[in-house]
Amino acid sequence: MQTEARSLNNPNLTTKKARSWTVRVAMWSARHRWLVLILWLVFVFGIFAVGQGMGTKTKSLDDAQSASQTEAQTAINVFNAGNKPETAFNEPLQVVINHPTLKATDPAFRETVGKVEESLRNATFNNQKVLANLPDPYTAPPQTGLISPDVSSVRIVAAIGGDKKAAHEKLEGIKPVLGGLSKAYPGYNIHTFNLGLLGDQQLQLAQSGLENSLIITTLVTLIILFLAFRAVVAAIVPLILGVTALQGAFGFMAIYSNVVAKIDLTAANLIVLIGLAVAVDYSLFLITRYRKEQANGRDRMKALEIASSTSGRAVFFSGLTVIISLAGLFFAPAGAFSSIAVGTISVVFLSIVGSLTFLPALLSILGNKLNWGHLPGIGRPRSDNGGFWGWLVAKVVRYPVVFTVVTVALLLVVASPLLHFRMGTNGIDALPDSLDGVQAYHLLSDKWPQSGILTLDTVVNGADRADTKAAIGQFQQSVAQQIGGLGNSQISYNDSGQAAKITFFQHGTPNDQANWDAVNTIRHAIIPATFDKLPNVQAYVAGDAATTLDTNKLNGDPIPLVFGFILGMSFLLLLLAFHSIVIPLKAIVLNLLSTGAAYGSMVLVFQDGYLSEQIGFRVTGVIESFVPIFVFAVLFGLSMDYHLFILTRIKELKDSGLDSVEAVTRGISQTSGTITSAAAIMVAVFLVFVAIPLMTIRQVGFGLAVAVFVDAAIIRSILLPATMRLLGDWNWYLPRWLNWLPHLTIEAEPELETQTSLQTAKSEV
């Protein structure tokens, strides 16, 4: 009995048990703290320096459009195959000139157009003319449409000759000329439309948005961490891990973009979006447990040991679930998914490694100084009853049926806009008007409604044959008869003359249903009726609406496979962790409810236009086809973070002898403070990204912010305890025929096991 009493009164005494590898790694890092600190900083900043030296290669707008072998891209390839190397690309460039009061026929207007033309003709790069095929708008045939129908505007249409690389290099030579036109001719609206230039403008916008968002998210995260820890140093430590993990991920992605493939324009923003939230969350879990053990009388090394054995292992498996979910993106064939998956997985992986090595080393160095900077009167220690959340959970487990029915009904209502969910592409029309290329795009669309830049192209091979030429004429007539609202068609041939491109011009946007219907009619009705009877002749439809349709299919078809992979792997992980088939099934259902609420909110805001004026964006009527898969992958991984963190605590309490109701109540109440702080940080980070004027980033940030809020405030605090109370011991049901499954211990609680065994022994005596 004396030994037992000494054991109970000694907070540093625990039963002997084999240490997990996460504990061994963390403790080695803590003992060799300065070495680990230096190695971590050299590693992450070394990768960053190498990446910066190589430069990050990103996809431009035209790169993104040609990333996959869709029918629209096949059409482009067939046409370009017959072009000479020096004209294989011929990137189009249009300079549009408008004056608020002058007509295009006025002498002053004509003089300005002449001077602009002269500047463009004289632009050179490496002693070569940049622009080719530069017709005079005033002497060109009227059918070229270089003067707008209302005679208020003139467009100068040219081509940048050479292959793709040469064309992009020549753009650098003409940028100074184009940039000085508006200043040289005040009073005129002069804007340039070119995909390469617009891609550069979009990249600059993304980079400036990234810099601003980093500053804002860092400040907001620091404030929330200070409120959570009530100490300056403790609040700064998670940011150090987050920033260093981001630097390493940026360097890795730069190397990847040079060695493997260019990365998508949005990849860097998404790396920050996910990386900062995850790294800070993992630090929050570990530091919270470390400080709790110190408050309970543990010395520095023992507190680190317990924190790494409990929250550290939970962080590892939580990060593993995020990586598994993000790996589902590799099943999607679109090129953007691969680079984004690589980038986000790299920053999550670095966050895990840093949490298990760098963070224990830093905590070992700081010791009690971790609590430096506490301001009197700011915050108060949380009690184990969880405050408000503890009170709420107690109410939920008392009336589980009512809370379950009401909460599920509410989430289904929020998800109901999904009934009219519509995917599309948020292209040029969704970019902010501040970009010169966007202003040119809208001016061209307004002034040339019948021959603007929204094209519907059909490429036909064998165009040098008489029977094919006759079929092309019949095709033009059929399109004009069966599809209304198209402008006059134009025919162009490649250099070999073996492929023809029949171009129509459409109204509206690439997301309009009427434009999609026109594409489908041509593909599935007019082309088969016109060209199928000709031997060795194929026809392919390209253009803006066709590319959008193909992109929707490209991103939509793999959804069942991606969702199935993520759901299946999540089910397997939870099955092994908790040896229950009820826990993983219920987790999937709950996560699907939060996913539905996030999707429904995105449809309500970005598709239906609610809050568009407050947020400040142009409603396109569609959700970017890339977004649903990405949001689902990230959301499911992050949701499992909280789910694992809470459920492991509940199971430990139940295994220690508490009944199911008490284990649920205590488990959720005791983790509520950490979960609330972690969720608040994630929501804040995600909402900051809604302010970046790139529609894809806005939709992702908003969707994830809603999902995390719903997950933490509703799913984990109401539905999880309510359903666990209703199911009782059935939560832990596992059929006998599955007893052979290995047990995956996510979080060990040595001190809980020790206290339980000692209390049991004492009661027996």
Side-chain angles (χ1 to χ4, degrees):
M1 290 180 61
Q2 291 177 350
T3 303
E4 291 160 2
R6 285 196 303 270
S7 299
L8 286 168
N9 293 328
N10 186 352
N12 290 328
L13 183 62
T14 61
T15 55
K16 295 290 184 181
K17 62 183 293 181
R19 285 179 170 182
S20 66
W21 70 268
T22 56
V23 177
R24 294 196 299 270
V25 169
M27 297 312 294
W28 188 91
S29 300
R31 288 192 299 270
H32 303 83
R33 44 190 173 272
W34 288 108
L35 174 63
V36 171
L37 177 69
I38 293 171
L39 288 176
W40 173 258
L41 295 178
V42 169
F43 173 66
V44 293
F45 286 106
I47 293 178
F48 179 74
V50 172
Q52 286 292 99
M54 298 176 70
T56 303
K57 294 183 178 180
T58 57
K59 297 176 183 176
S60 62
L61 289 178
D62 50 321
D63 286 327
Q65 290 175 356
S66 61
S68 303
Q69 289 303 312
T70 59
E71 179 176 337
Q73 184 58 37
T74 300
I76 296 172
N77 293 342
V78 168
F79 189 80
N80 288 337
N83 284 331
K84 299 175 183 177
E86 61 270 19
T87 58
F89 190 58
N90 267 341
E91 182 172 290
L93 180 145
Q94 297 188 60
V95 176
V96 57
I97 306 170
N98 168 267
H99 194 280
T101 57
L102 295 179
K103 293 291 185 181
T105 52
D106 290 344
F109 198 120
R110 294 190 63 160
E111 182 181 358
T112 299
V113 172
K115 291 180 179 179
V116 171
E117 275 193 290
E118 184 179 1
S119 299
L120 297 176
R121 283 197 177 95
N122 293 335
T124 59
F125 180 79
N126 289 339
N127 298 320
Q128 291 183 338
K129 294 286 186 181
V130 174
L131 299 180
N133 305 326
L134 199 66
D136 184 347
Y138 293 100
T139 58
Q143 59 266 29
T144 58
L146 299 182
I147 300 177
S148 65
D150 64 358
V151 201
S152 69
S153 307
V154 168
R155 59 177 176 173
I156 301 171
V157 180
I160 305 174
D163 58 19
K164 197 170 193 177
K165 181 180 179 181
H168 285 182
E169 288 177 347
K170 288 181 179 180
L171 275 178
E172 297 300 319
I174 201 172
K175 276 183 180 180
V177 176
L178 296 172
L181 291 178
S182 294
K183 294 181 180 179
Y185 306 101
Y188 289 86
N189 300 314
I190 304 177
H191 304 289
T192 305
F193 182 79
N194 170 267
L195 285 180
L197 291 175
L198 187 56
D200 291 343
Q201 295 164 17
Q202 188 182 10
L203 179 60
Q204 292 173 4
L205 185 68
Q207 290 174 338
S208 63
L210 181 62
E211 293 171 359
N212 294 332
S213 65
L214 269 175
I215 296 172
I216 297 173
T217 52
T218 300
L219 292 175
V220 172
T221 301
L222 185 61
I223 292 171
I224 296 174
L225 286 170
F226 180 73
L227 294 176
F229 291 134
R230 299 173 297 280
V232 174
V233 173
I236 293 175
V237 169
L239 283 176
I240 296 175
L241 175 61
V243 170
T244 54
L246 286 175
Q247 297 306 304
F250 284 144
F252 176 78
M253 286 307 294
I255 297 171
Y256 175 89
S257 71
N258 282 273
V259 176
V260 182
K262 292 181 180 179
I263 64 173
D264 190 81
L265 283 168
T266 58
N269 297 82
L270 294 176
I271 289 173
V272 176
L273 185 74
I274 304 305
L276 190 59
V278 167
V280 170
D281 258 19
Y282 295 166
S283 302
L284 183 65
F285 292 158
L286 271 165
I287 294 174
T288 298
R289 189 54 184 264
Y290 172 74
R291 296 178 81 214
K292 179 182 178 181
E293 296 306 324
Q294 280 192 317
N296 288 338
R298 315 281 187 185
D299 60 39
R300 178 179 57 186
M301 297 304 286
K302 178 57 65 173
L304 274 173
E305 180 182 356
I306 295 174
S308 59
S309 178
T310 55
S311 295
R313 285 178 62 79
V315 162
F316 172 75
F317 285 104
S318 296
L320 186 61
T321 61
V322 177
I323 289 176
I324 289 173
S325 294
L326 291 170
L329 297 176
F330 288 116
F331 289 97
F337 285 116
S338 296
S339 61
I340 291 172
V342 170
T344 50
I345 287 175
S346 66
V347 75
V348 173
F349 176 77
L350 287 173
S351 299
I352 296 172
V353 174
S355 297
L356 298 178
T357 57
F358 168 72
L359 193 56
L362 188 57
L363 293 177
S364 179
I365 291 171
L366 292 172
N368 291 329
K369 293 179 182 178
L370 180 68
N371 297 315
W372 183 87
H374 174 75
L375 297 182
I378 301 296
R380 56 185 177 83
R382 295 188 183 91
S383 60
D384 280 342
N385 63 14
F388 168 77
W389 297 112
W391 171 85
L392 177 61
V393 171
K395 291 293 183 183
V396 169
V397 297
R398 187 175 178 183
Y399 307 103
V401 175
V402 174
F403 277 97
T404 299
V405 171
V406 172
T407 304
V408 170
L410 175 64
L411 292 176
L412 290 177
V413 169
V414 176
S416 61
L418 268 174
L419 296 174
H420 60 275
F421 171 79
R422 194 165 180 266
M423 288 197 307
T425 55
N426 291 293
I428 299 170
D429 197 50
L431 293 174
D433 291 336
S434 59
L435 300 184
D436 181 70
V438 175
Q439 295 180 54
Y441 171 83
H442 289 300
L443 194 56
L444 287 165
S445 300
D446 292 341
K447 298 301 181 179
W448 285 269
Q450 294 295 328
S451 58
I453 53 179
L454 192 67
T455 62
L456 177 58
D457 302 316
T458 300
V459 174
V460 183
N461 67 347
D464 53 346
R465 291 165 33 183
D467 56 349
T468 305
K469 290 181 179 179
I472 289 175
Q474 180 185 345
F475 170 79
Q476 290 176 286
Q477 294 178 1
S478 298
V479 172
Q481 291 170 358
Q482 298 184 38
I483 303 174
L486 299 180
N488 295 328
S489 61
Q490 300 176 359
I491 300 180
S492 57
Y493 295 87
N494 61 7
D495 292 341
S496 68
Q498 295 178 347
K501 179 168 64 175
I502 305 99
T503 300
F504 293 88
F505 296 94
Q506 295 181 304
H507 300 289
T509 73
N511 298 306
D512 290 349
Q513 186 62 48
N515 291 336
W516 292 357
D517 291 341
V519 173
N520 286 324
T521 298
I522 293 175
R523 282 179 172 175
H524 305 302
I526 300 177
I527 285 179
T530 308
F531 298 106
D532 280 4
K533 58 188 176 183
L534 301 180
N536 301 319
V537 173
Q538 291 83 33
Y540 308 94
V541 180
D544 302 281
T547 299
T548 297
L549 268 180
D550 291 347
T551 303
N552 286 349
K553 180 175 175 58
L554 192 69
N555 292 333
D557 284 353
I559 284 180
L561 180 61
V562 174
F563 282 27
F565 172 81
I566 294 173
L567 294 176
M569 294 301 294
S570 300
F571 177 87
L572 181 61
L573 179 63
L574 291 177
L575 177 65
L576 296 176
F578 297 103
H579 264 222
S580 163
I581 62 169
V582 176
I583 290 292
L585 287 174
K586 188 172 60 177
I588 287 173
V589 172
L590 295 181
N591 285 343
L592 288 176
L593 282 172
S594 60
T595 303
Y599 284 175
S601 300
M602 284 192 294
V603 170
L604 195 67
V605 172
F606 293 100
Q607 184 176 314
D608 298 343
Y610 291 95
L611 299 179
S612 60
E613 293 185 3
Q614 289 79 0
I615 297 176
F617 65 89
R618 185 183 294 107
V619 179
T620 59
V622 294
I623 301 298
E624 181 69 42
S625 59
F626 146 85
V627 169
I629 287 182
F630 181 76
V631 168
F632 183 82
V634 175
L635 168 60
F636 226 81
L638 296 181
S639 296
M640 286 300 172
D641 258 9
Y642 299 153
H643 211 75
L644 286 168
F645 190 70
I646 294 172
L647 284 176
T648 48
R649 185 61 56 86
I650 292 173
K651 191 171 188 303
E652 289 151 15
L653 292 170
K654 184 178 183 301
D655 291 343
S656 70
L658 297 180
D659 61 52
S660 292
V661 175
E662 185 65 19
V664 169
T665 304
R666 282 198 192 182
I668 296 179
S669 298
Q670 292 174 5
T671 56
S672 61
T674 305
I675 293 296
T676 300
S677 300
I681 290 170
M682 280 199 176
V683 170
V685 170
F686 294 154
L687 284 179
V688 167
F689 278 76
V690 177
I692 295 179
L694 293 175
M695 187 61 74
T696 300
I697 300 297
R698 280 180 159 167
Q699 291 181 354
V700 169
F702 181 83
L704 290 177
V706 171
V708 170
F709 174 80
V710 169
D711 194 75
I714 298 177
I715 299 294
R716 309 301 158 206
S717 302
I718 298 178
L719 271 185
L720 178 61
T723 53
M724 293 199 77
R725 171 68 177 87
L726 288 172
L727 292 171
D729 289 337
W730 282 100
N731 284 295
W732 317 106
Y733 171 73
L734 182 74
R736 290 183 179 179
W737 56 273
L738 288 177
N739 285 335
W740 60 270
L741 289 172
H743 194 91
L744 183 65
T745 302
I746 289 184
E747 187 171 346
E749 288 276 11
E751 79 285 2
L752 276 180
E753 295 173 0
T754 301
Q755 292 171 4
T756 301
S757 61
L758 291 175
Q759 289 169 357
T760 301
K762 184 177 180 180
S763 64
E764 290 175 353
V765 174

